[in-house]
Amino acid sequence: MQVLVVGAGVVGLAIARAACLRGHEVVVAEATGGIGNGVSSRNSEVIHAGIYYPTGSLRARHCTRGRRMLYQFCASHAVAHKKCGKLIVATDAAELAKVETLLTQGKANGVEDLEMIGGNAARALEAELSCIGALSSPESGIIDSHAYMLALWGELEDRGGAIAFETPVQRMSFAAPHWQVEFGGRDAGTVTFDAVIVSAGLGAQPLARRIEGYPPGKVPPLVLAKGNYFGFAGKAAFARLIYPTPVDGGLGVHVTLDLAGRMRFGPDVEWIDHESYSVDPRRAEMFYERIRAYWPGLPDGSLVPDYCGIRPKLTGPGEKPVDFMVAGPASHGLPRVVCLFGIESPGLTASLSLAEEVIDSLAA
Ligand SMILES: Cc1cc2nc3c(=O)[nH]c(=O)nc-3n(C[C@H](O)[C@H](O)[C@H](O)COP(=O)(O)OP(=O)(O)OC[C@H]3O[C@@H](n4cnc5c(N)ncnc54)[C@H](O)[C@@H]3O)c2cc1C
């Protein structure tokens, strides 16, 4: 089939690669001038183990399987990464109960080698930590996500696929047996495809509304939850990822590390109603408070506003989090078009596994 993938983020690139591997002819249309310019360049770059998500959900399945595939991909494609491990820490009895629930959830999801350790054992690993217990996840890690996307792009091109940059998809309609896709930008015009995958991140809902015949009631709401990061001006205090217990809308302000060993904190959860990428320095106050719960040694004046990312959520504050939404013909009634909605965390980790399922669904 001639397959169009809309969006050159990490998920779109993984889908395009999977389509090439299945022998399809693939074009990726990307609105901006480069790969990974959307949500994919504004995240924690953590390879998640698969602990948090309800067993059997797309997030649980594709995170756990995608993580294993991602480590293999990184090894075979020389993508920089590190299985540094992670501790989810409890600072009081209530948090300890939550962390124990996470252990049960993670085990049910098939995450390997999880174990509860006491406060002393946690401090033996990370001397600066203050906690009464922690869940240790040795399978968690970090990745150079841009290098990963470049590797996906390289493999896509090696197998005959191509990316059209500055080529936003404006609208599309089905005229049997093809999709007529209208592009704007550099090479504006209409091109036909056999199948279309919409992997457009924050642009998925607006585009779905411009697909002729797509039932408006089947387009889920788009809820924006900004995640702000603060950099740390100093020597890293930890060698592992350190996470508090999860909060409404996110995993809590955690310690993330880059491959150079630099430490940063975030993301928090700021519900917003339009896209904006500024980090309000006043949020530092709340960061100090949250981080000092597990790292009392955080020095005054050490946090500097860094970057932020926007989670494309499907539910808002106080609402039950929902799964990734992969909407194929059974959902909207249109042939050979799949729309991905709400691909927030752990979309980076899940990308290779999710991509396979999306491409397999075209053959069904
Ligand atoms: C704060 C934050 C932290 C996160 N941390 C992690 C983490 O540590 N680990 C992890 O596994 N996941 C994490 N995630 C999730 C992960 O980053 C996302 O799931 C993933 O990047 C989504 O990729 P995507 O390809 O779906 O979207 P995007 O990267 O946004 O790509 C979509 C692309 O589509 C393009 N586009 C939109 N509309 C159109 C159109 N009409 N025509 C053509 N192109 C279009 C956009 O320009 C964009 O390039 C995090 C997310 C956030 C926000």
Side-chain angles (χ1 to χ4, degrees), residues 2-6 16 25-29 156 161-164 183 193:
Q2 289 179 320
V3 177
L4 172 70
V5 177
V6 186
E25 282 176 35
V26 182
V27 173
V28 180
L156 168 75
I163 306 181
F183 297 99
F193 291 91

Side-chain angles (χ1 to χ4, degrees), residues 6-13 29-32 34-48 167-170 199-204 207 210 225-229 243 254 267 308-312 324 343-350:
V6 186
V10 71
V11 176
L13 290 169
E30 167 54 47
T32 71
I35 58 168
N37 281 336
V39 183
S40 299
S41 58
R42 300 171 160 276
N43 59 45
S44 302
E45 300 192 294
V46 169
I47 301 179
H48 286 294
T167 306
V169 173
Q170 310 281 41
S199 179
L202 297 165
L207 181 55
R210 297 195 304 268
K226 195 202 261 192
N228 299 283
Y229 292 85
Y243 279 57
H254 46 259
C308 68
I310 300 178
R311 306 170 181 89
F324 291 161
I343 311 297
E344 50 151 325
S345 193
L348 165 64
T349 310

Side-chain angles (χ1 to χ4, degrees), residues 276-299:
S276 109
Y277 292 97
S278 57
V279 176
D280 182 351
R282 287 170 302 185
R283 296 184 81 81
E285 204 177 311
M286 176 269 290
F287 270 69
Y288 280 107
E289 190 190 316
R290 294 208 186 148
I291 297 162
R292 281 180 176 147
Y294 57 84
W295 182 30
L298 173 65

Side-chain angles (χ1 to χ4, degrees), residues 84-87 89 117 119-131 134 236-242 255 257 263 294-295:
C84 55
K86 150 173 162 174
L87 297 175
V89 298
I117 58 174
N120 288 338
R123 267 184 302 283
L125 295 173
E126 296 288 1
E128 302 245 4
L129 205 52
S130 167
C131 67
F238 302 104
R240 289 165 190 75
L241 303 164
I242 309 292
V255 177
L257 301 164
M263 197 165 68
Y294 57 84
W295 182 30

Side-chain angles (χ1 to χ4, degrees), residues 10 31 61 77 91 95 105 130 134-135 137 139 143 162 168 185 193 249 263 280 290 298 304-305 332 341 351:
V10 71
R61 239 174 351 102
H77 292 71
T91 58
E95 287 185 2
Q105 182 67 74
S130 167
L135 173 58
S137 168
E139 282 297 313
I143 181 173
F193 291 91
M263 197 165 68
D280 182 351
R290 294 208 186 148
L298 173 65
V304 281
H332 48 61
F341 300 108
S351 50

